[in-house]
Each structure stands twice: as C-alpha cells, then as structure tokens.
C-alpha cells in the first residue's frame, strides 16, 4: 500500500497538483506551505525510472526512487485510515555508504 501511495504522490507532485486528499490535515497544511519550493525541485528530478522498498523504520517505509536526473530516498508513513501522515525526501547517499 505504501509503494502505490508513494507512486501516486510523486506523480501528483510532479504534475503540480499534490494529492492533499490522501494526506492528514496536518501534513496537507505543511505540504501546501512548502509546495512553491518543493514542486519545482521534484519536477527537476525528471521522470521516475525506479522505485524500490529498502526498509522500514519507526512505522514508516523507506524507498529508493530513481529519476532521470536524481536518485532520492523517500520516507512515507500512513495511519490506520490510509492517510499519509509523514512524507520526506532527500538525496540518496552514494552507493556503499
């Protein structure tokens, strides 16, 4: 479920229309506040090429997501209703680190 939701979320963000309805109210507010900065950044990554689950930590799922221009780590957590309650991304560490 987390992988499908993450794919949907990244696709929506790259299209410039985040899926706020899939997020908790708190997270949706935070994403709205940051969307002017994060939407162009996510769009600059290019097309998604790969998405792989690499682990879980504190109830959140960790994914390695490869794009045309960037490889990133994404963390996503959902509550029992399936809403996204945490969503973070960062550049992926170099291989082997």
């Amino acid at each position: 479920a987390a992988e499908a939701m993450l794919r949907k979320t990244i696709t929506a963000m790259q299209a410039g229309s985040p899926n706020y309805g899939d997020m908790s109210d708190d997270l949706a507010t935070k994403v709205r506040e940051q969307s002017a900065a994060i939407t162009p950044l996510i769009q600059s990554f290019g097309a998604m090429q790969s998405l792989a689950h690499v682990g879980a930590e504190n109830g959140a799922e960790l994914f390695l997501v490869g794009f045309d221009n960037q490889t990133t780590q994404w963390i996503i957590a959902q509550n029992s209703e399936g809403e996204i309650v945490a969503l973070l991304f960062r550049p992926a560490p170099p291989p082997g680190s």
Side-chain angles (χ1 to χ4, degrees):
E3 180 177 337
M5 184 62 78
L6 183 57
R7 283 183 186 278
K8 178 181 177 183
T9 300
I10 292 171
T11 300
M13 292 178 123
Q14 286 191 315
S17 55
N19 50 329
Y20 299 116
D22 291 332
M23 300 175 191
S24 67
D25 292 343
D26 184 51
L27 181 63
T29 297
K30 290 175 183 170
V31 172
R32 279 187 183 93
E33 291 170 355
Q34 299 177 21
S35 66
I38 61 173
T39 298
L41 178 62
I42 294 170
Q43 290 170 334
S44 76
F45 294 164
M48 188 185 330
Q49 298 296 322
S50 62
L51 189 148
H53 183 259
V54 293
E57 186 176 305
N58 300 325
E61 302 297 325
L62 177 63
F63 291 87
L64 187 64
V65 184
F67 297 90
D68 286 338
N69 305 317
Q70 180 77 40
T71 302
T72 55
Q73 286 182 333
W74 289 71
I75 298 168
I76 185 170
Q78 294 173 273
N79 63 19
S80 58
E81 289 81 41
E83 292 176 320
I84 303 169
V85 294
L87 182 68
L88 304 163
F89 69 92
R90 61 189 173 214
S97 42

